[in-house]
């Protein structure tokens, strides 16, 4: 009697070269290839973005945060408030010198300016290096004490102020036109400090000097509450700032949104 019949199931053993197994392998290769292309494309986009950020940060524009109230009400900055984020033009002084009325960001030219400044870097050496690299792309602040003030006088000019004459600050004997100073704010500051700050037409102590060539004399718009050139006359630059330490000219406020707009450069010398 024959044990095999046509109705019995047939079993087929495939050696891996059949259509079913080959299709699975092809799908897997395509998926891996797709992910590889995606990773490469993302890496290229990130590299391009970082390259552009580096170029713009190093040569054209950079963002800074206003650190104090010394430039109020032109720029806002204070503990516990939303400090202005400003954008500076780094190209302008490659082709010209700072002029009276320019609002500038500069590196502290001497230790005298570093009284309360603390480095934003981590004490961990590895993290510190990472932060240094990130600062090249404006993803971390630079490891230097940056300040923002207004240029009042330039090299060779005589800048001075004597409360007794009631003229306020003068340059080469001519009183300045300073509409950016909020006089009500100066009065309030003087009252709040019993005259220690904001006293007299100079909104502070008398001073006078001739600005060295290649340097500028800077002051805050919040004249009665600004540790500007007046506060550092004992350093090697007599309170002035070398042009080489200037990082750029402030062009506009980018944040908060309620204060977005350009920053004026009214020439106080007229």
């Amino acid at each position: 009697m024959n044990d095999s019949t046509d109705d019995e199931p047939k079993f087929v053993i495939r050696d891996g070269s059949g259509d079913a197994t080959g299709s699975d392998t092809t799908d897997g290769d395509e998926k891996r290839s797709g992910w590889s292309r995606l990773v490469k494309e993302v890496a290229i986009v990130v590299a391009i973005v970082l390259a552009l950020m580096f170029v713009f940060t190093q040569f054209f524009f950079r963002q800074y945060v206003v650190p104090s109230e010394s430039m109020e009400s032109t720029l806002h900055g204070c503990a516990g408030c939303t400090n202005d984020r400003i954008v500076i033009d780094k190209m302008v002084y490659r082709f010209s010198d700072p002029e009276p009325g320019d609002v500038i960001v500069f590196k502290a030219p001497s230790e005298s300016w570093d009284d309360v400044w603390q480095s934003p870097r981590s004490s961990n050496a590895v993290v510190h290096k990472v932060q240094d690299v990130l600062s090249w792309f404006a993803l971390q602040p630079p490891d230097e004490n940056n300040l923002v003030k207004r240029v009042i006088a330039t090299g060779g000019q005589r800048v001075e102020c004597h409360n007794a004459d009631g003229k306020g600050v003068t340059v080469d004997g001519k009183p300045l036109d300073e509409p950016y100073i909020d006089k009500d704010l100066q009065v309030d500051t003087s009252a709040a400090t019993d005259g220690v700050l904001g006293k007299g037409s100079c909104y502070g102590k008398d001073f006078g000097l001739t600005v060295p060539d290649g340097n500028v004399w800077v002051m805050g718009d919040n004249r009665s509450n600004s540790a500007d050139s007046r506060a550092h006359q004992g350093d090697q630059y007599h309170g002035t700032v070398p042009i080489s330490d200037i990082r750029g000219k402030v062009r506009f406020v980018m944040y908060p949104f309620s204060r977005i707009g350009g920053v004026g450069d009214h020439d106080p010398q007229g």
Side-chain angles (χ1 to χ4, degrees):
M1 187 174 179
N2 188 355
D3 292 336
S4 177
T5 66
D6 293 339
D7 295 331
E8 292 180 356
K10 303 293 191 297
F11 295 95
V12 179
I13 299 176
R14 296 183 177 179
D15 60 3
S17 61
D19 292 341
T21 304
S23 178
D24 292 341
T25 302
T26 300
D27 289 345
D29 290 343
E30 289 179 351
K31 288 180 180 179
R32 284 191 292 271
S33 178
W35 276 109
S36 178
R37 286 196 300 271
L38 178 61
V39 170
K40 289 180 180 179
E41 290 173 358
V42 170
I44 291 172
V45 170
V46 170
I48 292 173
V49 170
L50 289 176
L52 291 174
M53 291 175 65
F54 176 83
V55 171
F56 271 78
T57 296
Q58 299 300 319
F59 301 105
F60 295 98
F61 301 98
R62 184 173 187 128
Q63 172 194 290
Y64 287 87
V65 178
V66 176
S68 73
E69 66 272 27
S70 68
M71 282 296 292
E72 290 185 356
S73 57
T74 302
L75 301 174
H76 286 192
C78 60
C81 69
T82 302
N83 294 2
D84 284 354
R85 282 161 174 76
I86 55 178
V87 175
I88 68 166
D89 178 350
K90 302 189 71 171
M91 289 292 291
V92 61
Y93 298 136
R94 296 178 185 273
F95 305 101
S96 63
D97 290 332
E99 297 180 352
D102 289 357
V103 179
I104 62 171
V105 167
F106 60 95
K107 180 189 75 170
S110 70
E111 292 182 0
S112 173
W113 297 78
D114 290 335
D115 183 34
V116 297
W117 179 75
Q118 293 183 332
S119 171
R121 295 292 184 265
S122 169
S123 59
N124 182 289
V126 175
V127 176
H128 188 118
K129 289 296 183 183
V130 171
Q131 291 174 324
D132 284 342
V133 172
L134 291 175
S135 72
W136 300 346
F137 308 97
L139 298 175
Q140 281 284 322
D143 190 16
E144 62 183 26
N145 182 12
N146 294 124
L147 303 105
V148 56
K149 307 290 182 197
R150 189 182 297 270
V151 176
I152 298 301
T154 57
Q157 294 186 316
R158 176 76 182 177
V159 58
E160 57 191 321
C161 190
H162 304 283
N163 283 292
D165 62 25
K167 294 180 180 179
V169 179
T170 65
V171 173
D172 293 334
K174 181 181 177 181
L176 301 183
D177 173 33
E178 300 188 287
Y180 41 75
I181 294 179
D182 184 341
K183 294 183 179 180
D184 290 337
L185 177 60
Q186 312 314 307
V187 171
D188 291 343
T189 300
S190 181
T193 61
D194 292 327
V196 174
L197 298 178
K199 184 179 179 180
S201 63
C202 299
Y203 302 118
K205 296 180 180 179
D206 291 8
F207 67 89
L209 83 162
T210 299
V211 181
D213 289 337
N215 290 31
V216 295
W217 176 269
V218 298
M219 301 180 77
D221 290 356
N222 188 3
R223 195 61 51 81
S224 64
N225 196 8
S226 175
D228 47 41
S229 287
R230 297 169 296 172
H232 307 285
Q233 295 180 72
D235 72 7
Q236 63 267 44
Y237 304 111
H238 307 291
T240 63
V241 177
I243 291 176
S244 59
D245 286 332
I246 297 176
R247 295 298 180 242
K249 179 179 180 179
V250 179
R251 289 297 190 185
F252 59 90
V253 176
M254 63 175 292
Y255 187 84
F257 299 131
S258 60
R259 287 181 47 76
I260 285 178
V263 175
D265 55 0
H266 173 82
D267 182 357
Q269 297 183 25

